[in-house]
Amino acid sequence: MYNPQEQFALSNPISIITGKDPKDFTREDLIKVIIEKKIERVAFHYTGIDGKIKELRIPITNRQQAESILTDGERVDGSSLFKGIVDAGKSDLYVVPVYKSAFFNPFVEGSLDFICRFVDKDGQLANFAPDNILLNAVNLFRKETGMDLKALGELEFFLMYDNETDLFPAQKQKGYHAAAPFVKTGKVLSEMLRYITQLCGHVKYAHHEVGYMDYVESDFPEIRGKKAEQVEVEFLPMPIEEMADVLVLSRWIIRNVAYRHNMTATFVPKLENGHAGNGMHVHMLACKDGKNAMVDANGELSEVAKTMIGGLCNYAPSITAFGNTVSASYLRLVPHQEAPTKVCWSAMNRSALIRVPLGWTNVNNLASLVNPQQVEKSEKFDSKQTIELRSPDGSCNTHLLMAAIATAVEWGFEHQKEALELAAASHVKVNIHDTNTDDLAELATSCAESAEILLKSRDLYERKGIFPPQVISNQAKMLQNENDSDLNKRLMALPDDEKLKESRRVMHRDIHKH
């Protein structure tokens, strides 16, 4: 709960001005901010079918204009934002600001910015827009289960830069939680973290990840010869529809900060063979009456959690169509790289598709173990237990991926007996590479295969009107355009040097995608 008397260095600046939690922002609050901070322009942001954030800047000269734009939004060309889905003959859409998303743009002085929703000519949420598809899926989940669905994402990316010093060199595949001076991008990461926290809140932590490359080999001049450090920003759980907005906005912040420092930030799934890839893992949990429902009274994984796992297992082969959308995605999903290849789940096994991480279950006040002077105990917080889907990567269409996840777990509760059976059959208790996995379903090995699976499974998504048919068809077409049905076969037929060069070409062509 927001307490206006408690202001921290990274508190939401607009909350400080208004004395309100963002969810309580009103139009009058925002006009007050515009006047008090002498705002020159309002900027609207929204996500097109390509998964990237868009922007519309609107200069503000008087109260009437401010009231108008905050009341009814503005008009945009839907056929440009949703190519292949919206016909050019009837393409106009409205973009309407979500008040609680308001933030000061850290890259443009005097700008008050918003995340927007797409509204059609009849004043209804446009059903083909990815963010509205997600809202549709979430509302169905809530209606059918009486629970709320929360999620948190993990953004992994490489920061690539020119470095003129060889002092304190980092080591290949040993960057996990590395600190300065062995990593050189700590200040840039701190700047990213400050902006993301102030704009979005709900940041859990940031750290350097496993990957490090001293010299990037590439045919692309922009990244050739750069050093590359892998970084991760992880979030705290929030409603899954809000998490999708936050992830897209955070990518925008990360890229802009990197650009400011003459660096390249890339979420590409794979940068080099033999080096860590960039995942975008998604943790999720269901809440009942405001309480985490993922553990039972004995602290064991609950039936709710296992039902969700079963739903995800049923949908997993087709979820790659939204979570792994470029050919390079399938150069990451290979054995022995902490990336899944089979449909299974396990406690803490990082090679499983679905992981059940530690969740502070049945433990509390751990600091007392190492701080015996802390006599006063803190009240026990709610369980932090989640389940983690590890297949998605940085190429994902974030809103469609989250919509697919919400649809999958809702299916689990609608078919609970079958979902629990799937969960039981796909449970792996040992290292995934130390057991026979012949009975487990496999993930796709190419965009072409993902498209084929999606088209065969489209009823899973189109049921109850969650995903419009044209969105499924468009997603499949986009995957098919990667033309990678025989990619692995082609790569294996090449001499080693040519194989490596062609693999890099496939990976690096998507440096800035999504």
Side-chain angles (χ1 to χ4, degrees):
M1 181 176 293
Y2 178 74
N3 183 348
Q5 305 305 316
E6 293 183 350
Q7 296 178 6
F8 295 87
L10 295 179
S11 293
N12 184 310
I14 299 177
S15 286
I16 292 174
I17 294 171
T18 62
K20 290 184 176 182
D21 188 284
K23 66 180 175 57
D24 297 321
F25 290 167
T26 66
R27 182 175 62 240
E28 193 58 37
D29 293 328
L30 298 168
I31 291 175
K32 173 187 174 184
V33 171
I34 289 171
I35 295 172
E36 183 174 322
K37 302 301 291 185
K38 295 181 171 57
I39 295 298
E40 296 181 6
R41 70 193 66 80
V42 164
F44 286 171
H45 298 278
Y46 31 88
T47 306
I49 197 62
D50 64 357
K52 282 187 177 179
I53 199 166
K54 312 299 179 185
E55 181 179 83
L56 179 67
R57 298 186 183 186
I58 307 159
I60 299 297
T61 59
N62 57 68
R63 172 182 279 270
Q64 182 179 2
Q65 184 194 16
E67 287 184 351
S68 175
I69 202 70
L70 293 176
T71 300
D72 288 319
E74 195 40 274
R75 185 177 61 238
V76 296
D77 177 11
S79 65
S80 294
L81 294 167
F82 298 97
K83 287 185 182 294
I85 294 177
V86 175
D87 185 84
K90 43 184 177 180
S91 63
D92 278 355
L93 291 170
Y94 301 111
V95 285
V96 181
V98 178
Y99 293 165
K100 65 183 175 182
S101 72
F103 64 91
F104 293 130
N105 190 321
F107 311 111
V108 181
E109 188 177 352
S111 184
L112 180 63
D113 293 26
F114 297 86
I115 296 295
C116 295
R117 296 282 175 253
F118 292 100
V119 176
D120 64 22
K121 64 180 180 62
D122 298 317
Q124 302 297 316
L125 292 175
N127 70 342
F128 52 80
D131 50 355
N132 292 332
I133 293 172
L134 173 54
L135 285 171
N136 191 14
V138 170
N139 287 336
L140 178 64
F141 175 86
R142 187 177 294 117
K143 176 184 176 183
E144 297 296 332
T145 67
M147 293 187 289
D148 293 312
L149 184 60
K150 293 186 176 183
L152 69 89
E154 300 178 8
L155 287 179
E156 292 180 348
F157 55 98
F158 275 96
L159 282 173
M160 294 184 282
Y161 60 96
D162 295 312
N163 185 16
E164 297 178 355
T165 179
D166 292 324
L167 295 175
F168 296 101
Q171 293 182 312
K172 174 184 174 181
Q173 292 292 87
K174 293 185 178 180
Y176 185 68
H177 286 206
F182 295 97
V183 288
K184 311 299 191 287
T185 57
K187 288 185 178 179
V188 176
L189 176 58
S190 292
E191 185 176 336
M192 293 172 175
L193 195 61
R194 179 170 69 252
Y195 291 148
I196 294 172
T197 304
Q198 287 184 327
L199 272 60
C200 307
H202 291 271
V203 177
K204 184 178 183 182
Y205 54 57
H207 61 83
H208 283 78
E209 256 295 349
V210 171
Y212 172 79
M213 297 176 63
D214 191 60
Y215 187 97
V216 177
E217 297 278 3
S218 181
D219 290 338
F220 293 80
E222 182 179 347
I223 64 173
R224 185 191 304 130
K226 304 286 187 181
K227 291 184 184 290
E229 294 180 2
Q230 192 179 31
V231 179
E232 176 181 311
V233 177
E234 183 169 326
F235 295 82
L236 292 167
M238 62 193 305
I240 191 170
E241 65 273 24
E242 296 179 23
M243 185 80 265
D245 290 335
V246 163
L247 290 171
V248 174
L249 186 61
S250 296
R251 291 185 188 212
W252 173 77
I253 293 170
I254 288 165
R255 285 191 170 112
N256 272 283
V257 172
Y259 178 64
R260 176 183 283 181
H261 291 274
N262 199 30
M263 295 182 178
T264 294
T266 182
F267 302 87
V268 68
K270 196 78 171 173
L271 198 56
E272 178 67 273
N273 289 329
H275 289 260
N278 288 324
M280 200 201 80
H281 307 154
V282 179
H283 294 246
M284 66 213 75
L285 65 144
C287 291
K288 180 73 172 178
D289 299 324
K291 296 290 185 181
N292 190 332
M294 304 300 281
V295 292
D296 60 22
N298 298 317
E300 301 294 328
L301 203 63
S302 68
E303 188 174 86
V304 166
K306 292 176 182 178
T307 300
M308 293 170 65
I309 289 171
L312 288 168
C313 287
N314 186 49
Y315 275 66
S318 57
I319 284 180
T320 56
F322 306 104
N324 311 87
T325 68
V326 296
S327 298
S329 297
Y330 301 90
L331 300 180
R332 169 184 165 261
L333 296 177
V334 294
H336 306 291
Q337 289 291 321
E338 292 193 2
T341 58
K342 299 278 191 174
V343 178
C344 61
W345 67 281
S346 180
M348 297 182 287
N349 189 330
R350 294 180 184 273
S351 293
L353 173 70
I354 301 165
R355 186 173 77 101
V356 182
L358 286 175
W360 287 266
T361 302
N362 293 331
V363 296
N364 61 84
N365 286 286
L366 295 180
S368 296
L369 293 174
V370 294
N371 299 283
Q373 75 277 16
Q374 181 63 49
V375 177
E376 184 181 350
K377 302 293 185 182
S378 175
E379 63 179 277
K380 181 171 174 56
F381 296 103
D382 191 21
S383 170
K384 298 179 183 179
Q385 188 64 61
T386 64
I387 56 174
E388 175 192 14
L389 182 66
R390 294 180 59 81
S391 55
D393 62 46
S395 74
C396 72
N397 185 308
T398 307
H399 288 86
L400 292 182
L401 169 65
M402 296 296 191
I405 288 172
T407 304
V409 297
E410 190 279 330
W411 179 93
F413 288 98
E414 187 175 329
H415 303 82
Q416 191 166 35
K417 183 175 182 295
E418 185 177 349
L420 290 172
E421 290 173 353
L422 278 169
S426 57
H427 187 201
V428 175
K429 298 181 180 179
V430 297
N431 188 309
I432 186 69
H433 303 299
D434 294 336
T435 187
N436 187 337
T437 60
D438 292 344
D439 293 336
L440 298 175
E442 295 188 353
L443 295 181
T445 58
S446 67
C447 289
E449 190 176 342
S450 277
E452 182 180 354
I453 295 170
L454 177 63
L455 291 174
K456 288 180 179 177
S457 309
R458 64 187 306 156
D459 287 349
L460 288 174
Y461 296 93
E462 295 172 10
R463 64 188 180 85
K464 299 184 178 181
I466 303 173
F467 278 72
Q470 68 267 35
V471 171
I472 297 297
S473 297
N474 184 78
Q475 192 71 12
K477 183 178 180 181
M478 182 200 72
L479 292 165
Q480 291 164 346
N481 287 341
E482 287 287 296
N483 194 29
D484 64 353
S485 59
D486 61 346
L487 176 62
N488 287 328
K489 183 178 179 181
R490 284 191 283 115
L491 289 175
M492 294 305 296
L494 294 173
D496 288 346
D497 287 349
E498 288 298 313
K499 182 194 304 180
L500 187 57
K501 186 175 181 180
E502 179 63 13
S503 295
R504 287 175 180 149
R505 188 190 67 81
V506 171
M507 296 173 192
H508 297 173
R509 71 190 182 193
D510 297 314
I511 282 293
H512 298 304
K513 192 165 186 178
H514 298 293

